[in-house]
Amino acid sequence: MDALAALMKGPLPDLYFCIGNPVVGNPTQYMVEEAFSALNHPGRYLTCEVQPTELEASMWGLRALQFAGGNVTAPFKQQVFPFLDDLSESARLCQAVNCITRQPDGTYVGDNTDGKGFLQSLKEALGDIAQRKVILFGSGGAASAIATELVLAEIREVVLVNRSEDKAQAVAKRLQGISKTIVRTEKWEGTYRLQEDGLVTVQATSVGLFNKQACINVEFEGGLKDCLACDVVFNPVDTAFLQKAREAGWKTLDGLGMLVNQGSIAIRNWTGLEPDRTLMRRSLEEAFAVLTK
Ligand code: NDP
C-alpha cells in the first residue's frame, strides 16, 4: 500500500542498478532488496545486462533517469570512468569502480567498496592489524582493491604474489609511497611456502570459484602462531584453500563476509542507513542455494 501511495502521491522510490555482462547469476539485487525491505527503504534495484557497445548510452540513460546509484561489475569496472564526475580515493588508487552514488548536487561519484569490505572483515577477525604482514595472491581487480585498502590502513607490509609479475608490479607502483606500508612484489613460481608466525595470507585469484577442489599452489606450515588465511572466493564458501589452511592449524576467513560488507558499504553510500549484515549473508546463501538445486 505504501508503494501504491508513493506511485500516486510521490515521492517516487529511488532506483538503483547493477550493470555488467554477464549478470545472470549475480545475487546482488536479491541481497540489496532484502536489506532495503528490512530497513523500510523504498528503493528498487534492477539488474541490467549491458552490451559493451551500449555502455556509453546506458550510463547517460541511467544518469538522465536520475538513478540514485548502483553497482558495476565485470567487464565495466574501469570502462565507466569517463561517465563519472569524480572518483573516491579508493577507486582512483585501485583503478576500478564497483559502486556509483548520485550526490545531492546531481553529480555521480565512483567508489570501490570491494577492498573496504575485505578490510572490515579483516579488522573484525583480528582487531588491530597495524603490525601485520600480508601475502596477497593475485593482482587482478579484487587483489588491487584489497591492496589499496591495506595500504590506506597503513598496515606494516603487503607482498603481492602473482604468476604475471608485471601485473603485480603495476599495482605496487600505484601504491608505493601512499603510506608507510611497505609494498613489494614476488613472482610466483612453483609452490609458495607460507611459514612465518603472525602472517595473514589472502587468496585473491579466481582459482576455486565454482570449483570445490581447485586450490592455488601454496603450502601452509603447521605449528605457527596467530596466522590467518582469507579467501575472496565466495562460492563455494568453504574453499579448498581454506580447508588446507585449517588442516595446518591456521584460522580462516571466507569471501562471503567480504561480499556482504562491500554491499553494506554500498547501501550506506546510497542511503546513509546501516543494513542488517546477518540478513544480507543469509540472502546470499539462499541465492547461491538456487544454483545447486
Ligand atoms: P581478475 O580476472 O581481475 O584477476 C584474476 C587473478 O587471478 C589474476 O591475478 C590472475 O593471474 C590470477 N589467476 C587466475 N588463474 C590463476 C591460476 N591458475 N594460478 C594463479 N593465479 C591465477 O579477477 P578479479 O580480481 O576480479 O576476481 C578474482 C576473484 O575474486 C573472483 O573469484 C571473484 O569472484 C572474487 N571476488 C570476490 C569479491 C568478494 O566480495 N568476495 C569481490 C570481487 C571479486 P594473472 O595476472 O597471472 O593472469
Side-chain angles (χ1 to χ4, degrees), residues 163-177:
R163 56 180 186 184
S164 323
E165 202 187 3
D166 55 327
K167 280 201 209 165
Q169 283 165 344
V171 175
K173 204 170 154 199
R174 281 203 298 274
L175 297 176
Q176 275 154 349

Side-chain angles (χ1 to χ4, degrees), residues 202-223:
V202 187
Q203 193 308 103
T205 79
S206 40
V207 175
L209 185 65
F210 303 125
N211 185 333
K212 282 186 178 159
Q213 274 83 42
C215 184
I216 54 170
N217 193 2
V218 289
E219 275 307 322
F220 293 93
E221 179 119 336

Side-chain angles (χ1 to χ4, degrees), residues 18-120:
C18 173
I19 55 167
N21 194 328
V23 281
V24 173
N26 186 317
T28 309
Q29 174 175 329
Y30 186 63
M31 173 180 76
V32 169
E33 290 200 323
E34 289 286 290
F36 280 174
S37 165
L39 286 167
N40 276 324
H41 177 66
R44 308 288 284 271
Y45 187 106
L46 300 171
T47 303
C48 309
E49 187 155 281
V50 169
Q51 295 308 316
T53 51
E54 298 295 336
L55 179 65
E56 180 169 358
S58 303
M59 284 303 296
W60 294 131
L62 292 166
R63 291 183 62 131
L65 293 168
Q66 297 183 37
F67 271 67
N71 290 117
V72 181
T73 187
F76 302 131
K77 287 186 178 184
Q78 292 184 313
Q79 295 169 32
V80 292
F81 281 23
F83 316 113
L84 299 172
D85 300 298
D86 206 356
L87 297 175
S88 70
E89 185 180 31
S90 299
R92 190 170 39 77
L93 286 173
C94 78
Q95 299 268 287
V97 161
N98 76 331
C99 176
I100 296 174
T101 306
R102 185 176 195 267
Q103 306 299 309
D105 64 0
T107 56
Y108 284 78
V109 176
D111 189 15
N112 194 304
T113 63
D114 284 334
K116 292 177 187 176
F118 173 79
L119 189 69
Q120 187 176 353

Side-chain angles (χ1 to χ4, degrees), residues 173-247:
K173 204 170 154 199
R174 281 203 298 274
L175 297 176
Q176 275 154 349
I178 298 287
S179 77
K180 63 181 185 198
T181 303
I182 300 163
V183 185
R184 297 195 289 112
T185 67
E186 279 180 29
K187 186 166 169 60
W188 191 356
E189 282 168 325
T191 305
Y192 194 100
R193 293 184 202 291
L194 294 156
Q195 48 195 6
E196 267 174 68
D197 283 333
L199 260 191
V200 174
T201 186
V202 187
Q203 193 308 103
T205 79
S206 40
V207 175
L209 185 65
F210 303 125
N211 185 333
K212 282 186 178 159
Q213 274 83 42
C215 184
I216 54 170
N217 193 2
V218 289
E219 275 307 322
F220 293 93
E221 179 119 336
L224 296 177
K225 282 191 220 117
D226 199 20
C227 289
L228 179 72
C230 318
D231 206 327
V232 300
V233 168
F234 47 77
N235 192 357
V237 179
D238 193 26
T239 59
F241 175 81
L242 294 180
Q243 288 170 20
K244 197 168 170 179
R246 268 202 313 275
E247 280 160 21

